[in-house]
Structures are given as C-alpha cells and as structure tokens.
Amino acid sequence: MNCLLINNRLSGVVLLLLIVLISFYSCKKTEEESFEYMVLETDEPVLNGGKSHSSVELSARILFKNNNEISEQGFVYSVGPNPLLDESNVVKAESSNSSSFSVQIKDALIPDTTYYVRSFLRTGNYLVYGNEVSFNYVKADPPELNSLSFSQGTWGDTIVVEGSGFARTTDYNAVKFGSVHANAIKSTGDSLWVVVPDTLNVFSSQVTVAVFGQPSEGSLSFTLKAPEIQSISRKQGAFPDTITVKGSYFSFLHTRIKLADKDIDPIEVTSDELKWIVPFSREEKAEKLSINQFGEEFLVEKEFKSPAQKLDSISTDEVWLYDTVTVYASNIDFSRIDNFKVLVEGIDVPVVNLENGQFSFYIFGYDNYGKETFDVEIVYYDGPTRYSRGEPHSMLSFQLRHKPFKFEVVSEGPYGYRGRFEGKVTGFSGYQYYYRDISDGKQGEPDSGNLNWTASRIPRKSTIERGFYIVFPEDMTPGTYEIWLYSYGRVSKREEITIVPPEITYVESPTHARADASFEVKGNYLPPGRSNLSFPNSSYYLKHIESGRTFDATNYERDSYNVSEVIGSGTYKFGVYIDDLPYEYDKSLEINDVFTFEINFDKSKKSYYAWSGECFGFTLNDQIYSGFGSGEPLAIDLNTGVTTNVSPMGAEEELKLFSDYPYQSFNGKIYSILADKVYSFNSANETWEKEPFEFGTDTIYTLCRVDNQLFAFAASGNVYAKGDSWSVLGNYNVIRDRNFRYGLHNDGKIYFVNRAGIHILSLDTWTIIEEYSVQWQRDLSYYWTGFHCFFVDNEIYLYYKNTGSTGANTLIRKFSIVTNQWVDIDPGYLPGDSWRYLFVNDEYDNIFMLNDGFVYSLNP
C-alpha cells in the first residue's frame, strides 16, 4: 500500500481573508461588471495504489469565476517547489463549465520523492495558478507488460510495448532485448516506443522493461527475421571480381559470406544487398557459397566456380636500379586490383601499366643492393584498398638476378678546380661515388658525393650503359685523387684523376677603383663563373699592396669581375683563393682614382659604429675629430693612425661633439652652439669650455670664418662676430629665415649653401648679389646635407646621395666661384663599406674621407 503525506499551504485564515478582500472589491463594481480575475484552490492529492496500477488523483475548485472563456486547465508538478507550466510536468483536464476539475497522474513516479503540485487555468488574457500542495511518493508498483505491436522484425524497426507503470520521461525506462540495451524514443504511462538495436545478435530474445531500476515481473517474446536470399549476380568469378547477393534482412554487423570453410568479410552491406570480393585462388575450384548469421548458414549457391590464377612469365630476370619488369599471369585482371603490392626484398616498389593479364613494376627502393639475387613477392589485402587494415596474402613470387657492375672514364684530364668528370656505368644500382686525396702519398678517409645522370639518359628506362657526370665538390682542391663507384656492397675499379691549380694569364686594369669598374680576366682551369663566386673554399679577390687589404671580386659576366669595395688609387694584385691558398696574376695593377689611401685607423672604437651617411667631423693640429649622436667622438692621429675616444660631455649634458649643431674651427679651436650658449673645444686638453656669451632667443643656423673673425648667423637676421670676444654686428633682413646650412668666406663674399643652391652675400653692402640653383642632376628624392660641403681652391664641393638606397648612388658636385658653374664628380660606390663614410676638411682646406677603418684624401 502506498503512503501519502499532505501539506496544505493555504491555511483557513488566509483563505477567509482572501474571500473577504475579493468580496469587498466586488462591491465597488457595478452590477454589469464581472470579476476580472479568477481564483483557484488546489485540493489535497489522493494516492490510489494497487498491484495492477498506481496513480495520484488531483482536483481543484474555481472559487471565483468571471465571464472569460477558459482555454485550458489542469495541473503542473515537479520535484522542486513552485512548478511552472513551461518548466514542469503537465497533466491537463477536460474543459467544462463546471467550477471544479480533476485528473489522475498515471505516469510512474520516482520512489521516495516529494512532489509539488499547483492547479492552473488559462484564459485569453490570463494564466492563473492555484495554491501549491505537496505529497511524498513512497513506493511504485513494477511496470506491467501486456503486448508488443509486432513480435517479429529486424534491426532498426520501431515496436510499441503496451502495458502500464511506464515513466513519461524516456530515460527512466530501461528496455532490453535479452541482454542487449535498446533505445526508448517515446513514452506515455501505458505505451513505450522502442527501436530494435543494431547490436542484437540472436534470433530470439525476451523484451523486458525496468522503471526507476524496478524490473517488470514478466517479459514479451521477440524474433529477428532470418536472411532471405533472392538472387546472386554471378555464379563464378576470380579475384578481384565483386559479387552481389540480393535478398532481405541483411546486417553489416552480423551477416558474413562463407565460401567452403573460409569466412569472407563483405565490402558493402545494406538490408537488402551484400557485396563481396572473390579471394585469390591458385587452383580451379567449385565451392559451396552461403551466408552465415549467428552461426547459422543460409545457402546461396551449391557450386561457386573459381578459375586457377597463376604466374606465366616475367619479361627479364636480370635487373639494376630503375629497370622495369613486366609480369604476365593467367586469369588476373590487374587493371581492376587496387589492393595489392609488389615487394622487392620486402620493400614496396612502384607499379605501372596495369592491364588484364599483365602489369609492370620498377626496381626501386630496396635496401640490400649488394645481393646477387632479389626475392619478389606480389601480395593482396583483405580490405578494399592497399591502405586498408586487411591482412596480406601472397599471390605470386619469383627471383631476379643482379646485373654485372662495370665503370669506365669518358672525359680526359687534367681537370680544373670545380671541373667536371664524365663516365659510363653498367649494372649500377646506386647513385654514389667515392674519392680520396692521394697527393704526395696521402691515404685519407674517402668522401662521397652524388652522381648526376646526363640529360641524354632517362633513369627509368632500361639501358645497358648509363652516362653520368660529377661536378667536383669544393673540398677537391688541386691535387691527385682516386675515384670509384660503390653499388651497395659492390665496388668498381678505381680511376686516378688530377686537378690542376688555376692559372691567371691576363687581367685588364680598370680605369678607376670603384664598383662600376670591371676586370677582364683570362686564364686556364679557373673556377667557373657565377653571380657569386664565394664558395666555401674559393673566392676571387683584389688586394691593395700598400695596406694589405683584400676585397672580394664578383663575377657578373663571363670572364668579367667587379669589386664592391676598393681603397682607391694605388697598386693592386688580382687572384683567387682555393682552400686558403692564393693563386695570383703575376703582374700588378695600377689604378688611379679621386680617392687616395692615407692611413689605417682603429675602427673598433665605439663611435665608429654610430656613423651614418650624415656623419661629419673636423681636423685640428693633425687630429681628425669625428662623432655623431650618442656615439663617443673619435680622435684620429693623421701621422700614426692611433685612434682614441674623446669624452663627449661638456658644460651641458646634451652637448655631443659634432652632433646636429652649427660648428666651425677658428684660431685652433672648434666652436659649436647649443641653444643660446657658445662652446669651444680645445684639442690640447680635449674638453669643452663655455664662452661668457649667450645668444638669448636667437637660433643660430651656421658659423663662418671671415678673416680674423668668426661670424654667427641667426634666423632673426642678427649677425654676431667674435674676435677677442663676442659682439652683435647688426641685423640684416636679407639673411632672415633663409636657413643657410653652411657658409664659406672668400674675397669679401660669403657663399651660403642650402637645399636651393648657392647664395652669395656681399660683406660690403650686406645684400645677396647672386644666387645659383643646385641644378640637381637627378630627381628630388636625392638629398644632401650642408655638413658635407667643402671649400677648396676657389671651388665648393657638395656631397649628396639617394635616400632610397644604401648610398649606392652618390655624387660630389663642384661649384666654381670663378665661372659660377656646377660640375659633377660621380664616385659611384664610395670606397669601403658603402654607408659608413665621413667627409672632413681642415683649416688648410684639405678634404679627407673616413670609411671602414681607413682615411682617404680626396683629389678632385
């Protein structure tokens, strides 16, 4: 007997108060008006139980009813309080005009569980809930099974189990066919829809149902339908024929083919069709064909016939690497087999030209080439393709013999470094050669390399002889060598060859020592020309005799060489290094240029690596002072080349020697201006000193020596002069905001330079008397900097470069103050590293260029 504990959550006092409030509200309505809201009371649940069924009876009353039509009414229940219509179990009652309604819950309920219930009704405008009650469901009766919708079927069929006590939620109903679980797809209290599982593996089974773990007391019998055979596509066949059996009630999981006593997995199965591949047979056979399911056999054909499949012959029994062998066989259509392999010494090799009765394969990929015979086996697999998981089975097998191995030399020596050796080989099953240096009795360990087949030979064609060539590797430097071929355990005879040193017989001197100058070179046994001739063991070079500096030579055209860096005017040697040994042209090359080598300096100093194309410097007392940005300035002694770092700090933390400020030499010192202050650099003690003068708000854009005075030109038009001390010379509109970047004095005139060109200022009248455009030879993507502007012998030299490159396109422009004309000096690539260069001119109007650890003088 079931037990029920009831808690009514609406006490009598609360209910009475609710009735009084609604009555009071209704008194205010007119007689024509009805109540706007309905009021529900949920009655106490009643549990009916017995062995044949279990149910809960629920009822409710409508305490106040208006004229709105009720569209639906019933109860919601759940295992949590406050059940809602859209989130809980719902049992609907029939609609009527009665003021009460009731239902029975026939679904199986969870044992030992408290349920919460509320009544509800819905009108066109409102959803009204009644009060909540609860009950405790103690124990459920087991489900009862009455019948199946049909007792015979097949996998995937849906059957209906009729009975009582089922859970409305399908997951709570555990259905089994014997020991095999089945899926319930739909449930009511007395009906359960179930799918026959694909894994059911017996013909007869008992159907049982357990609800909340409580099994049914009885079971119902179900029988799988046995396979029915209708037809077979062919009654005879040979591997790899596909045979189709048609019928009913087949299963991919359970239905198998049996040919005599051999089980065969089908390649495709549907409920009414089964396909399988005839296995390979070395003998002619007539065997029983049947379908096997659950250990029972169902006859398909009494005598299925298979012809004998065997090897007839092979095209050759002597081979080497890449040879093609053709196999001829009876009753085998190789064009339809995609699940077989050819194994040579156990290694899979390529197959081609598959036809009915024959196919070909390449001798390729096996490891033990040194053997005199090779085992060949043709295997097929159970699966539909060679990459399936089927087991391998042998079809055909035979042996091949290795062809004889011969080697002869075709080319004639001697050979040059990186030269080419040619030969022929017969019976060679590899691609490697070996060589050993035997010069002067050497007997070192052999090295190996790969052969290159000549273009006239196609490796995968069977030929008696094969041509090959060897381009000698870098480590085969001039000397005498043994060379031989090794064919995986078989060794050819050894040949002796000689590699002779290169001989340079002629070098044409270039007209100048820059990268656009070419060297025509002739000789014997020279390393071959390339875009870049810097092999690990060889390189062409140009050596400057005086400094000992060498530069790589690059070959752009046959027998024509260029160098990217040279030192300038001087005496040179041209040669080639092989394995660190120089082979030089026996004559020297005299080269003249605008640059002349002066002295080496130590380029390891820190500030050298801070240079850029805008770097500049100055000379004082045979010392070159240079620096840029945050790099420490250098002091280079023009007599000894000794280089020292100069402290960049002065009275102001920001001041750096020769950074982007106006500067000029005057009376043995270098003057520079930072903001409104003047500093002078004394080379004797290498310190900056602050002068007792300030420019205030003026911005100084250039300094210029004028006889015994130093002039400072400001953007405001003010001009300051220093003799023994600083003073204001005057204010001149003609120089205001002109941004002159450099000023050079000559014969009562100052030649100002800026991007626009040359501007000549008369010191007599303080007016601009002449102006000359720079007349750029190339487009304005080039720029120049005034710091690279020099005044020598009545001529102004202006350096500029292309900012879009690494300094490759550079020009030095020369302006004559006598003829007032521009002349270009095109240095091409500047000597040394093409982006670290520095022009300086001293108080004596000498021009020097610093680059890559060298000091050069400019001889325009």
Side-chain angles (χ1 to χ4, degrees):
M1 177 65 70
N2 300 307
C3 296
L4 178 67
L5 299 177
I6 302 178
N7 295 311
N8 193 330
R9 298 182 182 275
L10 187 61
S11 67
V13 175
V14 175
L15 180 59
L16 180 60
L17 178 62
L18 178 62
I19 296 172
V20 170
L21 289 174
I22 295 174
S23 300
F24 176 77
Y25 175 77
S26 64
C27 290
K28 292 185 178 182
K29 301 282 185 176
T30 63
E31 293 183 357
E32 292 77 20
E33 292 178 320
S34 62
F35 293 115
E36 185 176 2
Y37 299 102
M38 296 187 184
V39 178
L40 282 173
E41 180 182 13
T42 309
D43 296 330
E44 298 174 356
V46 176
L47 177 64
N48 299 315
K51 186 174 182 179
S52 60
H53 67 278
S54 64
S55 64
V56 177
E57 185 172 336
L58 303 176
S59 61
R61 289 172 295 152
I62 305 173
L63 300 182
F64 293 101
K65 189 174 183 181
N66 57 23
N67 293 329
N68 291 332
E69 182 179 353
I70 298 174
S71 59
E72 60 178 343
Q73 57 191 14
F75 299 86
V76 291
Y77 67 94
S78 69
V79 295
N82 195 32
L84 298 175
L85 187 62
D86 295 333
E87 301 174 359
S88 308
N89 297 304
V90 180
V91 182
K92 295 182 180 180
E94 293 183 2
S95 298
S96 67
N97 294 323
S98 174
S99 60
S100 64
F101 57 88
S102 63
V103 298
Q104 279 191 340
I105 300 177
K106 296 182 179 181
D107 301 345
L109 301 176
I110 303 173
D112 299 321
T113 302
T114 298
Y115 283 88
Y116 299 87
V117 183
R118 288 204 298 176
S119 56
F120 76 92
L121 61 81
R122 190 194 299 271
T123 68
N125 298 321
Y126 301 103
L127 171 63
V128 180
Y129 286 103
N131 57 296
E132 181 183 275
V133 297
S134 65
F135 65 90
N136 187 32
Y137 191 76
V138 178
K139 185 179 180 182
D141 289 336
E144 290 190 0
L145 308 183
N146 296 334
S147 63
L148 299 176
S149 57
F150 51 87
S151 59
Q152 264 197 337
T154 189
W155 302 279
D157 286 348
T158 299
I159 63 174
V160 181
V161 182
E162 302 289 349
S164 62
F166 301 142
R168 182 177 294 271
T169 302
T170 57
D171 291 344
Y172 295 150
N173 302 292
V175 184
K176 287 186 179 180
F177 286 71
S179 61
V180 180
H181 290 274
N183 290 329
I185 59 175
K186 183 180 177 182
S187 175
T188 64
D190 49 15
S191 297
L192 193 61
W193 284 259
V194 180
V195 177
V196 179
D198 291 337
T199 54
L200 184 58
N201 55 4
V202 293
F203 283 113
S204 298
S205 59
Q206 293 296 311
V207 179
T208 59
V209 180
V211 179
F212 301 121
Q214 186 167 332
S216 58
E217 294 183 352
S219 61
L220 301 172
S221 298
F222 178 79
T223 303
L224 274 177
K225 292 182 179 180
E228 296 179 0
I229 312 301
Q230 296 177 356
S231 64
I232 182 173
S233 60
R234 293 171 59 185
K235 296 182 179 181
Q236 63 180 12
F239 177 79
D241 290 343
T242 298
I243 307 299
T244 301
V245 178
K246 292 187 177 182
S248 303
Y249 313 122
F250 299 153
S251 167
F252 181 79
L253 293 178
H254 309 294
T255 307
R256 295 292 180 267
I257 291 293
K258 192 164 187 177
L259 186 61
D261 58 352
K262 183 176 182 180
D263 290 328
I264 301 174
D265 288 334
I267 60 173
E268 185 179 333
V269 179
T270 64
S271 61
D272 55 5
E273 190 173 88
L274 183 150
K275 295 181 180 180
W276 58 284
I277 296 176
V278 180
F280 184 83
S281 177
R282 292 185 175 85
E283 301 175 357
E284 184 177 349
K285 296 178 181 179
E287 301 171 299
K288 175 185 175 182
L289 176 65
S290 59
I291 284 180
N292 187 317
Q293 188 166 295
F294 306 146
E296 296 186 28
E297 291 188 7
F298 301 88
L299 182 65
V300 177
E301 181 62 39
K302 290 182 179 180
E303 290 189 348
F304 185 86
K305 297 180 180 180
S306 303
Q309 297 177 287
K310 60 182 180 179
L311 173 69
D312 292 335
S313 62
I314 55 177
S315 59
T316 180
D317 61 357
E318 282 193 335
V319 293
W320 67 56
L321 186 65
Y322 300 128
D323 270 356
T324 301
V325 177
T326 301
V327 176
Y328 303 95
S330 299
N331 301 315
I332 305 176
D333 188 354
F334 292 103
S335 65
R336 295 192 296 113
I337 304 176
D338 60 358
N339 59 342
F340 83 102
K341 292 182 181 179
V342 177
L343 305 177
V344 179
E345 292 295 321
I347 305 300
D348 186 10
V349 299
V351 294
V352 293
N353 303 327
L354 281 73
E355 300 178 15
N356 188 0
Q358 69 179 66
F359 77 96
S360 301
F361 66 91
Y362 293 129
I363 304 299
F364 178 80
Y366 51 93
D367 291 331
N368 195 356
Y369 294 94
K371 294 184 66 174
E372 294 301 321
T373 59
F374 307 111
D375 291 328
V376 181
E377 186 174 17
I378 303 170
V379 298
Y380 74 96
Y381 291 79
D382 287 340
T385 69
R386 62 186 296 182
Y387 304 107
S388 69
R389 294 184 177 181
E391 292 295 325
H393 303 279
S394 178
M395 291 171 54
L396 311 170
S397 61
F398 51 88
Q399 282 191 331
L400 298 173
R401 292 194 303 273
H402 211 155
K403 286 185 178 180
F405 181 29
K406 295 181 180 180
F407 162 52
E408 65 175 311
V409 178
V410 175
S411 58
E412 296 182 1
Y415 305 95
Y417 177 72
R418 296 288 294 173
R420 174 168 162 156
F421 169 90
E422 296 182 1
K424 286 185 179 180
V425 64
T426 301
F428 183 56
S429 296
Y431 54 87
Q432 285 186 313
Y433 69 91
Y434 285 81
Y435 60 94
R436 181 168 61 184
D437 189 356
I438 59 173
S439 303
D440 301 324
K442 294 180 182 178
Q443 292 293 327
E445 293 296 323
D447 294 309
S448 66
N450 291 339
L451 298 176
N452 299 280
W453 301 114
T454 56
S456 60
R457 304 294 186 184
I458 301 175
R460 289 187 175 181
K461 294 291 185 181
S462 296
T463 54
I464 296 176
E465 295 180 345
R466 297 187 183 206
F468 67 90
Y469 67 89
I470 300 168
V471 176
F472 297 130
E474 290 86 352
D475 59 352
M476 288 186 70
T477 56
T480 304
Y481 294 84
E482 282 183 334
I483 187 168
W484 68 94
L485 272 59
Y486 178 86
S487 181
Y488 297 92
R490 300 191 295 175
V491 180
S492 73
K493 69 175 182 177
R494 302 190 180 212
E495 294 287 343
E496 187 174 301
I497 63 171
T498 299
I499 298 178
V500 298
E503 179 186 9
I504 300 175
T505 59
Y506 173 78
V507 178
E508 180 185 12
S509 297
T511 57
H512 52 278
R514 275 165 282 139
D516 57 350
S518 62
F519 300 76
E520 183 181 353
V521 179
K522 295 181 180 179
N524 300 313
Y525 307 111
L526 300 180
R530 279 192 186 178
S531 297
N532 183 357
L533 285 175
S534 295
F535 296 120
N537 288 351
S538 69
S539 62
Y540 287 86
Y541 65 89
L542 188 70
K543 181 169 67 176
H544 185 256
I545 300 300
E546 184 177 358
S547 67
R549 178 73 180 274
T550 60
F551 304 93
D552 288 338
T554 304
N555 174 256
Y556 292 109
E557 299 178 1
R558 184 176 180 82
D559 301 329
S560 180
Y561 297 83
N562 294 90
V563 288
S564 60
E565 303 174 277
V566 294
I567 289 184
S569 296
T571 303
Y572 292 83
K573 278 282 192 176
F574 187 86
V576 59
Y577 279 112
I578 297 180
D579 201 19
D580 296 329
L581 294 178
Y583 300 91
E584 293 185 346
Y585 181 45
D586 58 3
K587 296 180 182 179
S588 299
L589 306 178
E590 296 295 334
I591 304 176
N592 296 314
D593 209 310
V594 296
F595 302 102
T596 300
F597 169 75
E598 293 291 335
I599 197 169
N600 295 306
F601 72 90
D602 183 5
K603 67 176 183 178
S604 66
K605 297 298 182 181
K606 177 180 176 182
S607 67
Y608 168 74
Y609 292 98
W611 289 1
S612 73
E614 300 176 9
C615 189
F616 60 91
F618 215 87
T619 59
L620 284 176
N621 304 324
D622 292 330
Q623 295 276 334
I624 294 179
Y625 292 94
S626 66
F628 181 77
S630 61
E632 294 183 1
L634 292 178
I636 304 170
D637 191 307
L638 284 173
N639 297 315
T640 64
V642 175
T643 307
T644 57
N645 282 5
V646 179
S647 174
M649 299 304 175
E652 297 288 341
E653 181 70 18
E654 297 88 353
L655 186 63
K656 305 291 186 295
L657 179 61
F658 308 134
S659 59
D660 194 15
Y661 307 115
Y663 77 98
Q664 185 58 271
S665 63
F666 178 67
N667 289 342
K669 294 183 179 180
I670 298 175
Y671 286 82
S672 185
I673 297 172
L674 175 63
D676 61 341
K677 300 175 181 62
V678 184
Y679 296 87
S680 61
F681 179 77
N682 190 334
S683 62
N685 54 20
E686 294 185 343
T687 58
W688 286 97
E689 298 173 354
K690 181 180 177 183
E691 300 253 322
F693 184 82
E694 295 184 359
F695 294 103
T697 59
D698 267 348
T699 300
I700 306 301
Y701 52 72
T702 191
L703 297 171
C704 179
R705 294 194 311 266
V706 179
D707 297 331
N708 295 322
Q709 296 185 88
L710 179 63
F711 282 12
F713 296 90
S716 65
N718 286 335
V719 179
Y720 300 85
K722 176 180 174 57
D724 295 330
S725 62
W726 284 95
S727 62
V728 179
L729 191 62
N731 183 278
Y732 305 97
N733 288 333
V734 70
I735 64 171
R736 181 174 296 169
D737 296 325
R738 296 297 292 270
N739 195 26
F740 296 138
R741 299 295 291 163
Y742 204 84
L744 302 170
H745 172 254
N746 183 65
D747 194 24
K749 301 174 184 176
I750 295 181
Y751 292 77
F752 287 114
V753 184
N754 65 7
R755 174 175 287 276
I758 305 294
H759 312 269
I760 303 175
L761 173 70
S762 171
L763 293 179
D764 294 332
T765 62
W766 284 93
T767 58
I768 300 296
I769 59 175
E770 294 179 85
E771 292 183 295
Y772 296 93
S773 171
V774 175
Q775 300 174 358
W776 301 114
Q777 189 183 52
R778 300 169 184 169
D779 60 52
L780 290 180
S781 64
Y782 291 79
Y783 83 100
W784 62 274
T785 169
F787 298 119
H788 290 171
C789 183
F790 320 109
F791 188 81
V792 181
D793 295 335
N794 296 326
E795 291 177 323
I796 297 173
Y797 290 87
L798 180 67
Y799 159 78
Y800 68 103
K801 71 182 179 105
N802 185 349
T803 59
S805 68
T806 58
N809 295 320
T810 59
L811 282 178
I812 297 176
R813 305 218 71 201
K814 180 174 67 174
F815 180 80
S816 171
I817 65 175
V818 177
T819 63
N820 293 330
Q821 291 182 343
W822 288 99
V823 177
D824 282 333
I825 301 173
D826 190 349
Y829 284 98
L830 295 176
D833 190 334
S834 61
W835 64 273
R836 288 193 184 117
Y837 38 76
L838 164 67
F839 287 102
V840 300
N841 67 314
D842 61 13
E843 294 180 282
Y844 309 105
D845 292 330
N846 296 315
I847 299 178
F848 297 98
M849 185 183 76
L850 280 66
N851 188 34
D852 205 21
F854 295 94
V855 178
Y856 311 89
S857 60
L858 179 63
N859 311 303

